[in-house]
Amino acid sequence: MVMLVVATAGFAVNFWAWALLSPLGPRFKDSLALSSFEQALLVAVPVVVGSLGRIPVGALTDRFGGRVMFPALSLITILPVLYLGLLGQSSLAALLFGGFFLGVGGTVFAVGVPFVSGWFPPERRGFALGVFGAGMGGTAISALTTVKLVDGQGSAAPFVLTAFLLAAYAVVAWLVLGEAPGRTPPREPLVKRLAATARLGVTWQMSGLYAVAFGGFVAFSVYLPTYLKTEYGLSQADAANRMAGFVLLAVVMRPVGGWLSDQVGAVRVLGVSLAVTSVGAMVQSFTPPLMPQGTVAFLGMAAALGAGSAATFALVAKLAPADKVGAVSGMVGAAGGLGGFVPPLVMGSIYGSLGSYALGLALLAIVAAAAAAFTAVVVRRAAVNRGAAA
């Protein structure tokens, strides 16, 4: 349990750093006269870098283990955090440069999945990975504290604080973490292992589903303040607080979704979650009053996306070969992050062209419904076949 707690704390701190630019997006838009697309690009760049970076990081974790990778990534992330806090807020180019390297913090997810999986038996991995996944609440901490720290202590304050926490965590992780008994590092070269992972059907099935489930969470967590401020006229602080509520509910539902996956099956949990997401997005596409219809729609999607994300990785732990869990997790995690990269850009472009977000939300509803149908048919068959083979 100690390993799970320390790994989850590392996920949370690194995700806190990864999400530092999102709450400040509206402020940078005003101070630097950014367009809607430029603002969306600013908050999306760390997402895509953190997503693609999970592919090699997951494979490296299979090789070197979480005890090395957790502190290493935390120390590397300190550099872009301090750059953005002290030097990188003067122009869009400077912010994009810092945001690119800030994406390293988002790769830590691919470290935690194989590390945590190794410490728990198959019948408890869904819950354990759900608890670890709750570390994505670091984005909520960022949303709740970043603007307040900037207003009260200056523009560098949240970045300096996060850098200190990353350094402290790196020391604790190095001293406390250990690898699971019986862990055998693979000896194949990195490129060969990645190629073998790419040939697995489970890699592509879970990547597509995670792109919808976790991608939807990431998209809302980075773009919801902009949406609420534009569509409902909320203040920046109020919009950030509501986004934090969305994230917190998704965080709470992640261990719940993992526990439910252990109890009733990950396929069932994932299918229901995607169906609920589809309904919520369709309701919100009509821009109902924020209270109560809009709030209910967003909170329903938050709960569903959190539970669905946990269910996806419960399936990864069940269906992926044991020696490739890290590599598969990296590719699936990359797909989830990329799933969060596209919607903010689409939403910004659609709003810039049509003056409405309705089409973007309707597209999310259609994609989530298709993913639910895919889960009910293809993924269920794969899970049944895997169980029969075992």
Side-chain angles (χ1 to χ4, degrees), residues 93-105:
L95 287 168
L96 290 176
F97 177 79
F100 180 89
F101 292 99
L102 189 65
V104 172

Side-chain angles (χ1 to χ4, degrees), residues 18 20 51 113 128 134 219 267 305 345:
W18 191 40
L20 280 171
S51 302
V113 172
V267 173
L305 292 169
L345 296 180

Side-chain angles (χ1 to χ4, degrees), residues 46-69:
V47 174
V48 71
V49 174
S51 302
L52 293 175
R54 291 173 191 173
I55 297 175
V57 166
L60 288 171
T61 302
D62 283 338
R63 176 66 179 85
F64 295 106
R67 183 178 183 271
V68 172
M69 296 299 292

